[in-house]
Amino acid sequence: AVLQLFKERLGEVRDLLYDVTGCHPVTYADTRLTGQGEVPVERVLTNASVYNSTSLKRQCLDYMLFFPYVSPLDGENGHEPVVPATCQIQKFSVDRSKDVGAPVTQLSDHYGLEGSLAIIESPAYLSAQRPEQRSRGTDV
């Protein structure tokens, strides 16, 4: 619903993590299956009551949205100067072997999202003549 609202009001929008994974992965109140059943992955930072509710646990609350470049000139089909390159979940886990006694297993109650962008130089920029650069501090 929110993405549709963005599209209607702002134009094209991309959900980068969804583009990579094909789903909206868990970023909050994650659980894992063990011999004792479903157990919380993180028990300190997230309120325990969250794990008792199917609607509150295992949610995707974190997104990385990308709004592609739109040329200000009508009809111009220019190249896109910045494009998404990567997007992934970063759990920011605490290494309990190094941080002995740390009460937490991760740095936040949410997983983080990590992404990178690629800058694409246009053919016009690459072929443009540039003035010769002088070294600083020389008045030759």
Side-chain angles (χ1 to χ4, degrees):
V2 172
L3 281 180
Q4 188 57 39
L5 179 65
F6 283 154
K7 285 179 184 179
E8 290 169 5
R9 299 207 176 164
L10 302 172
E12 186 182 350
V13 60
R14 291 180 44 204
D15 180 341
L16 298 183
L17 191 57
Y18 186 88
D19 288 354
V20 170
T21 64
C23 66
H24 288 114
V26 173
T27 62
Y28 173 74
D30 199 2
T31 61
R32 67 175 179 271
L33 291 176
T34 69
Q36 291 92 29
E38 186 179 36
V39 297
V41 170
E42 186 280 314
R43 297 174 186 260
V44 177
L45 301 171
T46 306
N47 188 309
S49 66
V50 167
Y51 295 105
N52 297 326
S53 167
T54 13
S55 63
L56 295 178
K57 68 181 175 183
R58 300 189 52 75
Q59 294 186 66
C60 179
L61 298 181
D62 302 272
Y63 299 86
M64 189 171 295
L65 304 177
F66 178 76
F67 296 85
Y69 172 76
V70 177
S71 173
L73 304 173
D74 287 336
E76 182 182 315
N77 190 11
H79 84 287
E80 198 156 343
V82 177
V83 295
T86 64
C87 186
Q88 62 191 8
I89 289 179
Q90 179 59 261
K91 294 186 178 181
F92 296 110
S93 299
V94 173
D95 184 345
R96 304 290 294 268
S97 66
K98 293 180 182 172
D99 296 313
V100 178
V104 295
T105 55
Q106 59 196 50
L107 298 178
S108 173
D109 63 342
H110 286 246
Y111 296 149
L113 299 186
E114 176 180 59
S116 63
L117 302 172
I119 298 172
I120 311 297
E121 293 178 341
S122 73
Y125 174 82
L126 292 173
S127 65
Q129 290 283 5
R130 290 176 187 66
E132 190 175 318
Q133 297 287 320
R134 294 190 327 192
S135 298
R136 281 190 160 188
T138 59
D139 291 326
V140 181

Short mmCIF file of all heavy atoms in Angstrom, two decimals, residues 35-90:
data_model
loop_
_atom_site.label_atom_id
_atom_site.label_comp_id
_atom_site.label_asym_id
_atom_site.label_seq_id
_atom_site.Cartn_x
_atom_site.Cartn_y
_atom_site.Cartn_z
N GLY A 35 14.83 -28.06 18.62
CA GLY A 35 14.15 -29.23 19.15
C GLY A 35 13.02 -28.87 20.11
O GLY A 35 12.07 -29.64 20.27
N GLN A 36 13.12 -27.70 20.74
CA GLN A 36 12.06 -27.23 21.65
C GLN A 36 10.99 -26.42 20.93
O GLN A 36 10.13 -25.83 21.56
CB GLN A 36 12.65 -26.38 22.78
CG GLN A 36 13.51 -27.14 23.77
CD GLN A 36 14.98 -27.12 23.37
OE1 GLN A 36 15.44 -26.19 22.74
NE2 GLN A 36 15.70 -28.17 23.74
N GLY A 37 11.07 -26.32 19.62
CA GLY A 37 10.10 -25.54 18.86
C GLY A 37 10.68 -24.21 18.42
O GLY A 37 11.90 -24.05 18.31
N GLU A 38 9.81 -23.24 18.21
CA GLU A 38 10.22 -21.91 17.75
C GLU A 38 10.73 -21.09 18.94
O GLU A 38 10.02 -20.94 19.94
CB GLU A 38 9.03 -21.21 17.09
CG GLU A 38 9.37 -19.90 16.44
CD GLU A 38 8.17 -19.25 15.78
OE1 GLU A 38 7.05 -19.37 16.33
OE2 GLU A 38 8.36 -18.62 14.75
N VAL A 39 11.97 -20.55 18.83
CA VAL A 39 12.55 -19.76 19.91
C VAL A 39 13.06 -18.43 19.35
O VAL A 39 13.46 -18.35 18.18
CB VAL A 39 13.71 -20.51 20.63
CG1 VAL A 39 13.19 -21.77 21.30
CG2 VAL A 39 14.83 -20.82 19.67
N PRO A 40 13.06 -17.37 20.17
CA PRO A 40 13.56 -16.07 19.72
C PRO A 40 15.06 -16.13 19.40
O PRO A 40 15.82 -16.80 20.11
CB PRO A 40 13.32 -15.15 20.91
CG PRO A 40 12.30 -15.84 21.75
CD PRO A 40 12.50 -17.31 21.52
N VAL A 41 15.46 -15.44 18.37
CA VAL A 41 16.89 -15.32 18.04
C VAL A 41 17.54 -14.35 19.01
O VAL A 41 18.67 -14.55 19.44
CB VAL A 41 17.07 -14.86 16.58
CG1 VAL A 41 18.52 -14.49 16.29
CG2 VAL A 41 16.58 -15.94 15.62
N GLU A 42 16.83 -13.30 19.39
CA GLU A 42 17.36 -12.25 20.28
C GLU A 42 16.40 -12.11 21.45
O GLU A 42 15.20 -11.98 21.26
CB GLU A 42 17.48 -10.95 19.48
CG GLU A 42 18.14 -9.81 20.19
CD GLU A 42 17.22 -9.10 21.15
OE1 GLU A 42 16.07 -8.80 20.78
OE2 GLU A 42 17.65 -8.87 22.28
N ARG A 43 16.92 -12.14 22.69
CA ARG A 43 16.04 -12.16 23.87
C ARG A 43 16.18 -10.95 24.79
O ARG A 43 15.44 -10.83 25.75
CB ARG A 43 16.33 -13.41 24.70
CG ARG A 43 16.04 -14.68 23.99
CD ARG A 43 16.48 -15.86 24.85
NE ARG A 43 16.34 -17.10 24.15
CZ ARG A 43 15.34 -17.94 24.32
NH1 ARG A 43 14.39 -17.67 25.18
NH2 ARG A 43 15.29 -19.06 23.64
N VAL A 44 17.14 -10.07 24.54
CA VAL A 44 17.40 -8.97 25.48
C VAL A 44 16.75 -7.66 25.02
O VAL A 44 16.09 -6.98 25.79
CB VAL A 44 18.92 -8.77 25.69
CG1 VAL A 44 19.20 -7.58 26.59
CG2 VAL A 44 19.54 -10.04 26.25
N LEU A 45 16.93 -7.30 23.77
CA LEU A 45 16.49 -6.00 23.27
C LEU A 45 15.02 -5.95 22.87
O LEU A 45 14.42 -4.88 22.84
CB LEU A 45 17.36 -5.59 22.07
CG LEU A 45 18.86 -5.49 22.36
CD1 LEU A 45 19.63 -5.30 21.08
CD2 LEU A 45 19.14 -4.38 23.34
N THR A 46 14.46 -7.10 22.54
CA THR A 46 13.07 -7.16 22.09
C THR A 46 12.19 -7.61 23.25
O THR A 46 12.51 -8.60 23.91
CB THR A 46 12.92 -8.14 20.91
OG1 THR A 46 13.84 -7.77 19.89
CG2 THR A 46 11.52 -8.12 20.34
N ASN A 47 11.10 -6.92 23.48
CA ASN A 47 10.18 -7.28 24.55
C ASN A 47 9.69 -8.71 24.34
O ASN A 47 9.25 -9.07 23.26
CB ASN A 47 9.00 -6.30 24.56
CG ASN A 47 8.11 -6.48 25.76
OD1 ASN A 47 7.67 -7.58 26.06
ND2 ASN A 47 7.83 -5.38 26.43
N ALA A 48 9.75 -9.53 25.38
CA ALA A 48 9.39 -10.94 25.29
C ALA A 48 7.96 -11.16 24.82
O ALA A 48 7.66 -12.16 24.15
CB ALA A 48 9.61 -11.62 26.64
N SER A 49 7.06 -10.23 25.12
CA SER A 49 5.65 -10.40 24.72
C SER A 49 5.48 -10.40 23.21
O SER A 49 4.50 -10.96 22.69
CB SER A 49 4.79 -9.31 25.36
OG SER A 49 5.14 -8.04 24.84
N VAL A 50 6.42 -9.81 22.51
CA VAL A 50 6.35 -9.76 21.04
C VAL A 50 6.33 -11.19 20.47
O VAL A 50 5.62 -11.49 19.51
CB VAL A 50 7.54 -8.97 20.47
CG1 VAL A 50 7.70 -9.17 18.97
CG2 VAL A 50 7.40 -7.50 20.80
N TYR A 51 7.09 -12.08 21.10
CA TYR A 51 7.20 -13.45 20.58
C TYR A 51 5.97 -14.30 20.86
O TYR A 51 5.85 -15.40 20.33
CB TYR A 51 8.46 -14.11 21.15
CG TYR A 51 9.71 -13.43 20.68
CD1 TYR A 51 10.45 -12.61 21.52
CD2 TYR A 51 10.15 -13.58 19.37
CE1 TYR A 51 11.59 -11.97 21.08
CE2 TYR A 51 11.29 -12.95 18.92
CZ TYR A 51 12.01 -12.15 19.78
OH TYR A 51 13.13 -11.52 19.33
N ASN A 52 5.04 -13.81 21.66
CA ASN A 52 3.80 -14.53 21.93
C ASN A 52 2.70 -14.20 20.94
O ASN A 52 1.62 -14.75 21.01
CB ASN A 52 3.31 -14.23 23.36
CG ASN A 52 4.30 -14.71 24.40
OD1 ASN A 52 4.98 -15.72 24.20
ND2 ASN A 52 4.42 -13.96 25.48
N SER A 53 2.97 -13.28 20.03
CA SER A 53 1.96 -12.82 19.08
C SER A 53 2.43 -13.10 17.65
O SER A 53 3.48 -12.63 17.24
CB SER A 53 1.73 -11.32 19.25
OG SER A 53 1.00 -10.81 18.17
N THR A 54 1.62 -13.86 16.92
CA THR A 54 1.99 -14.15 15.53
C THR A 54 2.03 -12.89 14.68
O THR A 54 2.80 -12.81 13.73
CB THR A 54 1.00 -15.14 14.88
OG1 THR A 54 -0.16 -15.29 15.67
CG2 THR A 54 1.63 -16.46 14.64
N SER A 55 1.24 -11.88 15.04
CA SER A 55 1.23 -10.66 14.22
C SER A 55 2.40 -9.73 14.54
O SER A 55 2.70 -8.84 13.74
CB SER A 55 -0.10 -9.92 14.40
OG SER A 55 -0.25 -9.51 15.73
N LEU A 56 3.05 -9.91 15.69
CA LEU A 56 4.16 -9.02 16.05
C LEU A 56 5.54 -9.62 15.75
O LEU A 56 6.47 -8.90 15.41
CB LEU A 56 4.08 -8.66 17.53
CG LEU A 56 2.87 -7.83 17.96
CD1 LEU A 56 2.89 -7.58 19.45
CD2 LEU A 56 2.80 -6.52 17.20
N LYS A 57 5.69 -10.92 15.89
CA LYS A 57 7.01 -11.52 15.66
C LYS A 57 7.25 -11.74 14.18
O LYS A 57 6.32 -11.74 13.37
CB LYS A 57 7.15 -12.84 16.43
CG LYS A 57 6.25 -13.95 15.92
CD LYS A 57 6.44 -15.19 16.76
CE LYS A 57 5.46 -16.26 16.33
NZ LYS A 57 5.56 -17.45 17.15
N ARG A 58 8.53 -11.88 13.81
CA ARG A 58 8.97 -12.18 12.45
C ARG A 58 8.41 -11.18 11.43
O ARG A 58 7.83 -11.55 10.43
CB ARG A 58 8.62 -13.62 12.07
CG ARG A 58 9.27 -14.65 12.98
CD ARG A 58 9.09 -16.06 12.50
NE ARG A 58 9.50 -16.27 11.13
CZ ARG A 58 10.76 -16.35 10.68
NH1 ARG A 58 11.75 -16.23 11.51
NH2 ARG A 58 11.02 -16.53 9.41
N GLN A 59 8.64 -9.91 11.69
CA GLN A 59 8.15 -8.87 10.79
C GLN A 59 9.27 -8.30 9.93
O GLN A 59 10.44 -8.32 10.31
CB GLN A 59 7.58 -7.71 11.60
CG GLN A 59 6.35 -8.04 12.37
CD GLN A 59 5.78 -6.79 13.00
OE1 GLN A 59 5.34 -5.89 12.31
NE2 GLN A 59 5.84 -6.73 14.32
N CYS A 60 8.89 -7.75 8.81
CA CYS A 60 9.81 -6.95 7.99
C CYS A 60 9.43 -5.50 8.24
O CYS A 60 8.40 -5.03 7.78
CB CYS A 60 9.68 -7.29 6.51
SG CYS A 60 10.79 -6.31 5.49
N LEU A 61 10.28 -4.81 9.01
CA LEU A 61 10.02 -3.40 9.32
C LEU A 61 11.01 -2.46 8.65
O LEU A 61 10.91 -1.26 8.79
CB LEU A 61 10.07 -3.17 10.83
CG LEU A 61 9.06 -3.94 11.68
CD1 LEU A 61 9.25 -3.58 13.16
CD2 LEU A 61 7.64 -3.65 11.25
N ASP A 62 11.99 -3.02 7.96
CA ASP A 62 13.07 -2.22 7.41
C ASP A 62 13.11 -2.38 5.89
O ASP A 62 13.04 -3.50 5.38
CB ASP A 62 14.40 -2.65 8.03
CG ASP A 62 14.34 -2.51 9.54
OD1 ASP A 62 14.65 -1.41 10.02
OD2 ASP A 62 13.96 -3.48 10.22
N TYR A 63 13.22 -1.26 5.20
CA TYR A 63 13.18 -1.26 3.74
C TYR A 63 14.26 -0.33 3.21
O TYR A 63 14.65 0.62 3.88
CB TYR A 63 11.82 -0.76 3.24
CG TYR A 63 10.68 -1.63 3.71
CD1 TYR A 63 10.09 -1.43 4.94
CD2 TYR A 63 10.22 -2.67 2.91
CE1 TYR A 63 9.06 -2.25 5.38
CE2 TYR A 63 9.18 -3.48 3.33
CZ TYR A 63 8.60 -3.27 4.57
OH TYR A 63 7.59 -4.07 4.99
N MET A 64 14.71 -0.60 2.01
CA MET A 64 15.60 0.32 1.31
C MET A 64 14.93 0.61 -0.03
O MET A 64 14.81 -0.26 -0.89
CB MET A 64 16.99 -0.30 1.09
CG MET A 64 17.97 0.71 0.55
SD MET A 64 19.67 0.11 0.52
CE MET A 64 20.01 -0.09 2.25
N LEU A 65 14.46 1.84 -0.15
CA LEU A 65 13.72 2.23 -1.36
C LEU A 65 14.62 3.07 -2.26
O LEU A 65 15.43 3.86 -1.79
CB LEU A 65 12.47 3.02 -0.98
CG LEU A 65 11.50 2.31 -0.03
CD1 LEU A 65 10.35 3.22 0.32
CD2 LEU A 65 11.02 1.01 -0.62
N PHE A 66 14.44 2.88 -3.55
CA PHE A 66 15.22 3.61 -4.55
C PHE A 66 14.26 4.27 -5.52
O PHE A 66 13.36 3.63 -6.06
CB PHE A 66 16.14 2.64 -5.30
CG PHE A 66 16.96 3.31 -6.37
CD1 PHE A 66 18.05 4.09 -6.05
CD2 PHE A 66 16.62 3.16 -7.71
CE1 PHE A 66 18.81 4.71 -7.03
CE2 PHE A 66 17.37 3.77 -8.70
CZ PHE A 66 18.46 4.55 -8.36
N PHE A 67 14.45 5.56 -5.72
CA PHE A 67 13.64 6.33 -6.66
C PHE A 67 14.52 6.64 -7.87
O PHE A 67 15.41 7.50 -7.78
CB PHE A 67 13.14 7.62 -6.01
CG PHE A 67 12.21 7.37 -4.85
CD1 PHE A 67 12.71 7.13 -3.58
CD2 PHE A 67 10.84 7.33 -5.05
CE1 PHE A 67 11.86 6.88 -2.51
CE2 PHE A 67 9.98 7.08 -3.99
CZ PHE A 67 10.49 6.85 -2.73
N PRO A 68 14.31 5.96 -8.99
CA PRO A 68 15.17 6.16 -10.16
C PRO A 68 15.15 7.60 -10.66
O PRO A 68 14.18 8.34 -10.48
CB PRO A 68 14.57 5.23 -11.21
CG PRO A 68 13.83 4.20 -10.43
CD PRO A 68 13.31 4.93 -9.22
N TYR A 69 16.24 7.96 -11.30
CA TYR A 69 16.41 9.30 -11.86
C TYR A 69 15.36 9.55 -12.93
O TYR A 69 15.07 8.69 -13.78
CB TYR A 69 17.81 9.40 -12.48
CG TYR A 69 18.06 10.67 -13.26
CD1 TYR A 69 18.30 11.86 -12.60
CD2 TYR A 69 18.07 10.66 -14.64
CE1 TYR A 69 18.53 13.03 -13.31
CE2 TYR A 69 18.31 11.82 -15.37
CZ TYR A 69 18.54 13.00 -14.70
OH TYR A 69 18.77 14.15 -15.39
N VAL A 70 14.79 10.73 -12.90
CA VAL A 70 13.87 11.16 -13.93
C VAL A 70 14.43 12.45 -14.51
O VAL A 70 14.68 13.40 -13.78
CB VAL A 70 12.45 11.41 -13.36
CG1 VAL A 70 11.53 11.94 -14.44
CG2 VAL A 70 11.89 10.15 -12.74
N SER A 71 14.63 12.47 -15.81
CA SER A 71 15.18 13.65 -16.46
C SER A 71 14.21 14.82 -16.30
O SER A 71 13.00 14.65 -16.49
CB SER A 71 15.42 13.37 -17.94
OG SER A 71 15.80 14.57 -18.58
N PRO A 72 14.73 16.00 -16.00
CA PRO A 72 13.85 17.17 -15.89
C PRO A 72 13.32 17.63 -17.24
O PRO A 72 12.39 18.42 -17.31
CB PRO A 72 14.74 18.23 -15.24
CG PRO A 72 16.13 17.80 -15.53
CD PRO A 72 16.11 16.31 -15.67
N LEU A 73 13.93 17.14 -18.31
CA LEU A 73 13.49 17.53 -19.65
C LEU A 73 12.48 16.50 -20.17
O LEU A 73 12.75 15.31 -20.20
CB LEU A 73 14.68 17.60 -20.60
CG LEU A 73 15.82 18.53 -20.16
CD1 LEU A 73 17.00 18.39 -21.10
CD2 LEU A 73 15.33 19.96 -20.11
N ASP A 74 11.30 16.98 -20.56
CA ASP A 74 10.26 16.09 -21.07
C ASP A 74 10.75 15.30 -22.27
O ASP A 74 11.37 15.86 -23.19
CB ASP A 74 9.01 16.88 -21.47
CG ASP A 74 8.25 17.39 -20.25
OD1 ASP A 74 8.39 16.77 -19.18
OD2 ASP A 74 7.53 18.39 -20.39
N GLY A 75 10.50 14.02 -22.24
CA GLY A 75 10.83 13.19 -23.39
C GLY A 75 12.28 12.79 -23.51
O GLY A 75 12.64 12.00 -24.36
N GLU A 76 13.16 13.37 -22.69
CA GLU A 76 14.57 13.01 -22.79
C GLU A 76 14.78 11.65 -22.15
O GLU A 76 14.39 11.41 -21.01
CB GLU A 76 15.45 14.05 -22.07
CG GLU A 76 16.93 13.72 -22.20
CD GLU A 76 17.79 14.71 -21.45
OE1 GLU A 76 17.55 15.92 -21.58
OE2 GLU A 76 18.70 14.26 -20.74
N ASN A 77 15.38 10.76 -22.89
CA ASN A 77 15.64 9.42 -22.38
C ASN A 77 17.11 9.34 -21.99
O ASN A 77 17.89 8.63 -22.60
CB ASN A 77 15.27 8.37 -23.44
CG ASN A 77 15.30 6.97 -22.86
OD1 ASN A 77 15.39 6.80 -21.65
ND2 ASN A 77 15.21 5.99 -23.73
N GLY A 78 17.48 10.09 -20.96
CA GLY A 78 18.87 10.12 -20.53
C GLY A 78 19.23 8.88 -19.73
O GLY A 78 18.37 8.12 -19.31
N HIS A 79 20.50 8.69 -19.56
CA HIS A 79 20.93 7.54 -18.77
C HIS A 79 20.76 7.85 -17.29
O HIS A 79 20.65 9.00 -16.87
CB HIS A 79 22.39 7.19 -19.09
CG HIS A 79 23.36 8.01 -18.31
ND1 HIS A 79 23.60 9.33 -18.57
CD2 HIS A 79 24.12 7.70 -17.24
CE1 HIS A 79 24.47 9.80 -17.70
NE2 HIS A 79 24.80 8.82 -16.88
N GLU A 80 20.74 6.81 -16.50
CA GLU A 80 20.58 6.96 -15.06
C GLU A 80 21.95 7.13 -14.42
O GLU A 80 22.80 6.25 -14.54
CB GLU A 80 19.88 5.72 -14.51
CG GLU A 80 19.29 5.94 -13.18
CD GLU A 80 18.14 4.98 -12.91
OE1 GLU A 80 17.61 4.39 -13.83
OE2 GLU A 80 17.80 4.88 -11.74
N PRO A 81 22.22 8.25 -13.73
CA PRO A 81 23.56 8.49 -13.19
C PRO A 81 23.89 7.66 -11.95
O PRO A 81 25.04 7.42 -11.66
CB PRO A 81 23.53 9.98 -12.84
CG PRO A 81 22.09 10.30 -12.65
CD PRO A 81 21.32 9.38 -13.56
N VAL A 82 22.87 7.20 -11.23
CA VAL A 82 23.09 6.38 -10.04
C VAL A 82 22.14 5.19 -10.11
O VAL A 82 20.94 5.37 -10.36
CB VAL A 82 22.82 7.19 -8.75
CG1 VAL A 82 22.98 6.32 -7.52
CG2 VAL A 82 23.72 8.40 -8.67
N VAL A 83 22.68 4.00 -9.91
CA VAL A 83 21.85 2.79 -9.93
C VAL A 83 22.17 1.92 -8.72
O VAL A 83 23.30 1.92 -8.23
CB VAL A 83 22.05 1.98 -11.23
CG1 VAL A 83 21.58 2.77 -12.45
CG2 VAL A 83 23.50 1.57 -11.40
N PRO A 84 21.18 1.17 -8.24
CA PRO A 84 21.46 0.27 -7.12
C PRO A 84 22.40 -0.84 -7.54
O PRO A 84 22.29 -1.36 -8.65
CB PRO A 84 20.09 -0.30 -6.74
CG PRO A 84 19.11 0.28 -7.68
CD PRO A 84 19.81 1.15 -8.66
N ALA A 85 23.33 -1.20 -6.67
CA ALA A 85 24.26 -2.28 -6.98
C ALA A 85 24.02 -3.49 -6.08
O ALA A 85 23.94 -4.61 -6.56
CB ALA A 85 25.70 -1.79 -6.84
N THR A 86 23.91 -3.28 -4.77
CA THR A 86 23.69 -4.39 -3.84
C THR A 86 22.70 -3.98 -2.75
O THR A 86 22.55 -2.79 -2.47
CB THR A 86 25.00 -4.83 -3.15
OG1 THR A 86 25.47 -3.75 -2.34
CG2 THR A 86 26.07 -5.23 -4.15
N CYS A 87 22.08 -4.97 -2.15
CA CYS A 87 21.23 -4.75 -0.99
C CYS A 87 21.12 -6.07 -0.25
O CYS A 87 20.85 -7.10 -0.87
CB CYS A 87 19.85 -4.24 -1.40
SG CYS A 87 18.81 -3.81 0.01
N GLN A 88 21.37 -6.03 1.05
CA GLN A 88 21.30 -7.26 1.84
C GLN A 88 21.03 -6.93 3.30
O GLN A 88 21.20 -5.79 3.73
CB GLN A 88 22.59 -8.05 1.73
CG GLN A 88 23.81 -7.31 2.26
CD GLN A 88 25.11 -8.00 1.91
OE1 GLN A 88 25.14 -8.96 1.16
NE2 GLN A 88 26.19 -7.53 2.48
N ILE A 89 20.62 -7.95 4.05
CA ILE A 89 20.43 -7.79 5.50
C ILE A 89 21.78 -7.92 6.18
O ILE A 89 22.58 -8.76 5.83
CB ILE A 89 19.46 -8.86 6.03
CG1 ILE A 89 18.04 -8.56 5.54
CG2 ILE A 89 19.49 -8.92 7.55
CD1 ILE A 89 17.01 -9.57 5.97
N GLN A 90 22.00 -7.05 7.16
CA GLN A 90 23.20 -7.12 7.99
C GLN A 90 22.71 -7.29 9.43
O GLN A 90 22.08 -6.40 9.98
CB GLN A 90 24.02 -5.83 7.82
CG GLN A 90 25.28 -5.75 8.63
CD GLN A 90 26.25 -6.87 8.33
OE1 GLN A 90 26.29 -7.83 9.07
NE2 GLN A 90 27.00 -6.74 7.27
#
